């Protein structure tokens, strides 16, 4: 058991030599801690790999891009007239339940549109 824990500490400790004369309870505690570190590093590496292999999506930063790509735009109904006059070719979705800004955010979360129109005071 003592040798197994010693070799496990060597493996989990990334090859750093440990004190071979330490007590069995200390080695057991370090073995558990080393296993925790191994799990944390594995989760980090898996998340990083998933992030790096993700295909990039084209982001929309301006109204011109949103109109050009045909992206559906969530907006508050209070500015409906101004938006429809300014951007006649845009694909708007106006929130209709009167929840103010939270309703527009909920519509976006529900997938009813691809982008939001918000003012600086809302950010």
């Amino acid at each position: 058991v003592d040798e197994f824990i010693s070799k496990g500490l060597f493996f989990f400790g990334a090859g750093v030599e440990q004190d071979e004369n330490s007590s069995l309870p200390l080695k057991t505690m370090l073995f558990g801690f080393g296993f925790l570190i191994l799990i944390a590093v594995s989760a980090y590496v898996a998340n990083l790999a998933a992030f790096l292999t993700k295909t990039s999506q084209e982001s929309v930063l301006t109204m011109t891009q949103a109109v050009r790509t045909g992206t559906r735009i969530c907006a508050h109904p209070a500015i409906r007239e101004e938006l429809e006059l300014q951007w006649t070719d845009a694909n708007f979705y106006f929130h209709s339940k009167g929840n103010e800004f939270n309703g527009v955010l909920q519509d976006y979360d529900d997938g009813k549109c691809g982008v939001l129109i918000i003012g600086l005071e809302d950010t």
Side-chain angles (χ1 to χ4, degrees):
V1 172
D2 192 40
E3 188 62 27
F4 173 74
I5 291 176
S6 294
K7 295 301 178 190
L9 280 174
F10 182 76
F11 176 72
F12 293 142
V16 177
E17 286 292 333
Q18 305 292 329
D19 181 18
E20 291 186 21
N21 297 325
S22 61
S23 67
L24 183 61
L26 177 64
K27 287 181 182 179
T28 305
M29 182 193 70
L30 290 175
F31 183 82
F33 183 68
F35 188 73
L36 176 71
I37 298 301
L38 177 73
I39 297 299
V41 170
S42 298
Y44 170 75
V45 170
N47 191 23
L48 182 63
F51 177 74
L52 292 176
T53 58
K54 180 179 159 185
T55 58
S56 64
Q57 297 176 343
E58 185 178 323
S59 60
V60 177
L61 301 175
T62 65
M63 278 295 292
T64 307
Q65 286 177 331
V67 172
R68 183 172 29 94
T69 59
T71 305
R72 192 156 200 198
I73 305 164
C74 280
H76 195 279
I79 54 174
R80 182 179 198 139
E81 269 187 47
E82 293 87 357
L83 290 174
E84 288 178 339
L85 285 173
Q86 180 81 26
W87 303 96
T88 55
D89 296 336
N91 182 12
F92 290 112
Y93 177 82
F94 295 100
H95 181 73
S96 60
K97 293 198 171 88
N99 289 11
E100 297 300 321
F101 184 67
N102 293 333
V104 177
L105 280 178
Q106 187 63 46
D107 290 341
Y108 178 75
D109 287 340
D110 292 342
K112 295 178 181 175
C113 52
V115 295
L116 293 170
I117 293 181
I118 56 173
L120 290 176
E121 56 278 343
D122 294 327
T123 57

